[in-house]
Amino acid sequence: MARKKPGQAAGSLVNVAVLAAIRSPLTYLVPNSLEVRPGQRVHVPLGTRRATGIVLEPVSRVAPGFKVREILGVVDPEPLLSPELLTLGLWMAEYYVAPVGEVFRAMLPLRSETRRVRFLILTDRGRQELRDLESSLLEEIRGGAEAKFLRYLADQSGTSAGATLEGIRRKSSRIATELVTHAVAEGWVAVSEQERDRGQRKVFSVRLAGPLPEHPPRLSPVARRILEALDQRGPVVDHRELLKAARGDLSHLKKLQAGGLLELGESRDFSDRTPQDKKESVELTSAQTSVLGDLTALLASRQFHAVLLHGITASGKTEIYLRLIARCLEQGRAALMLVPEISLTPSVQSQFLAWFGSQVAVLHSGLSETERHEAWWRARRGEAKVVLGTRSAVFAPLADLGVVIVDEEHDSSYKQEETPRYHGRDGAVVRARLAQALVVLGSATPSLESYWNARTGKYLLLKLEERIGGRSLAAVEIVDMRQEFRETHTQVPISRRLKQEIEAQLQSGAQTMILLNRRGYSWFLLCRSCGETHRCVNCSISLTYHRREHKLICHYCGYTAGVPSQCASCGSEHLHYVGEGTEKLEAKLTELFPAARVARLDRDVAQRAGQYRKILTDFRQRKIDMLVGTQLISKGHDFPGVTLVGVVSADQGLGMPDFRAAERTFQLLTQVAGRAGRGDSPGRVLVQTFYPEHYAIRLAADQNYEGFYSKELRFRRMMHYPPCAALANLIAQGTKLEQAAKVAGEIGRFLERVQRTSPGLKVLGPSAAPLARIEGRFRIQFLLKASSRASLNDILRRLADHCEDKGIPPPAVMIDMDPVSIM
Ligand SMILES: [Zn+2]
Ligand SMILES: [Zn+2]
């Protein structure tokens, strides 16, 4: 009870989001000795342990019978999160029905600005012991480990609070932990804990001093890698990133600086030295100028506006973003730009650095904990005014935000597929509204949701309908693979038509991209005697054969298995590899075109350090004739030499049991077609398909977005799918099927009751999820459809409460509001 008992200190009550899987905030008492503010991090007792939490708001009372405990202490002197970010976090927890602590955990850097340091202090008893030891007649005692240790502490005590444990270990490895423990037990030494600021390590910006000399002096491999990286990527603001890639250290940079090959600078003053002419050197087309003018006016209003920028591929959206951000900085406000999978788009990063220098902080999941921590704090301290990042950067602690840009807003990587299951794009819109900022969603293939919002007047629609430089869109030709089979009687990945086109490309020295959206060598291993396929032990899917590793790999959980020489169930040796992935296609193309330089780009390649960038650079520099890859090659790259794009199987995604299958196929085909003809020569695209009349394929071939939108929207309306209805995916899961079924039964009964009072609610299921088992968990699915998001959200929260009451643990029920995938 909050009622003051006699003798209890008069403290105030606050709600705290404890960083744990707890659905709601907990109320704590603020002791008189402490002062806490909303957004501040605190230590609180939780059960028998000590936890960290974020102070939310003061409360006047607690539920009867609730025993309030005291806050133990504050972590940071200042609030970490602004009122704006607190509101965003609470909105996310509520809207996505996610534990509030999990949301705030996702928002924060993992480490605190200060760190705990343990000091050892020599006590009076320790001093006495030292004197005794030193007066000993025996040399072994006077010079022994104990005496040395105590003397070391005695020497330190004059200067600071004492010696740190780390310092002692560094001083002498012979001073073992047991000795410290012994000294503490004897009372010679006291341990004290203090918070210390994390030392800020110096960060240098690095750039080439000039063009690389024709005949460079003799260089070490590290030095060569450093120079090559700078040459390819342009200047960097953080030298450590460069060194990590080049596997070198600061001394390499200093040596190159002394040799006059590169310049090191304080990151702080870097932007001032960025040549202005480099920035605005590209002249905007009149269409770009007009869009930029509209956006600048909206920015100047200092009010919330949401804009959908529908610009066809290569229409120059990035040039507009950069200028808009520059205008925003001129007004003294900060800017945020979200991109899908940033580590995979080095070109955007270097453009940002060229424009905004050290004012940029980059936030993405590929960073180390220290890097993320530092980038976060640079934004928090106001040193970085521009944040470029992936979906979690929507939480970047920028003050006075003027513009939020979401590039390629249709990309599914904006959706987090683990708790909290938020959508970065939708979070960005809410963030902008809270900050009274302008939000720009850009895409050549907008999501149905965003286009619907634009059509219904929720967003303002701006268009770019021409490619820059007066280039025309690529001409798309469909190759009917059914006819190919009828005429050749063989099933091959490369049709005669595509082969002929590739040959012509190779003869003229032009480059080609080949898309096959499936990695690995073969899809699965089939026993021809008994029909058995080799499945993952954790998931209900077949394992994919990867030839390079000579392994069978699960693309969901990463489980790997050796390749058997005989069938596990019948012992037959007639094992057959079915289907082809990018790895096999690469081998096949190398075999078909022995003179061509073929490379591959997919997630397997991208995982190898440095490979991704190297392949992109080599391809841009025309050291590669043909690039084979998954959808990774369709994302935002600009290769002027590519005049032919071949799509090996356009049908890959169409068969998926997901209402977005057609939309994804349309987007992928349009995006990959957009890679062709970005240089001076026009581009051509060949799309191989078994379903040439499917509207997603036909309309992508015509690059007719409007046509696709109307057709797809009719289907969504008929079937009650977003954007025409609100949708949630509910999965009951358990490591045993009976567990999952029991939870599903409970959910089913609850939903039946709710349906009686909510006639707008439609429930599909329970049924086995399309992926009935993932990572060892059985999954039973419900799809919930309602006429409004608000009513659906209300039902989901009541369901979560109900599950809590029934003692069902949160991991047993996955709630996915506005799901991007319903597999
Ligand atoms: Zn068999
Ligand atoms: Zn698996």
Side-chain angles (χ1 to χ4, degrees), residues 33-46:
S33 56
L34 283 182
E35 205 180 311
V36 298
R37 282 180 283 164
Q40 200 165 15
R41 249 188 324 182
V42 288
H43 289 306
V44 290
L46 182 69

Side-chain angles (χ1 to χ4, degrees), residues 527-532 567-572 575:
C527 171
R528 277 190 162 154
S529 302
C530 73
E532 177 78 8
C567 173
S569 73
C570 77
S572 160
L575 296 177

Side-chain angles (χ1 to χ4, degrees), residues 608-625:
R608 278 175 254 149
Q611 271 294 51
Y612 185 84
R613 279 186 174 163
K614 182 169 172 3
I615 289 172
L616 289 182
T617 310
D618 285 354
F619 194 50
R620 191 167 292 118
Q621 293 176 349
R622 302 195 175 210
K623 291 177 188 165
I624 294 167
D625 299 311

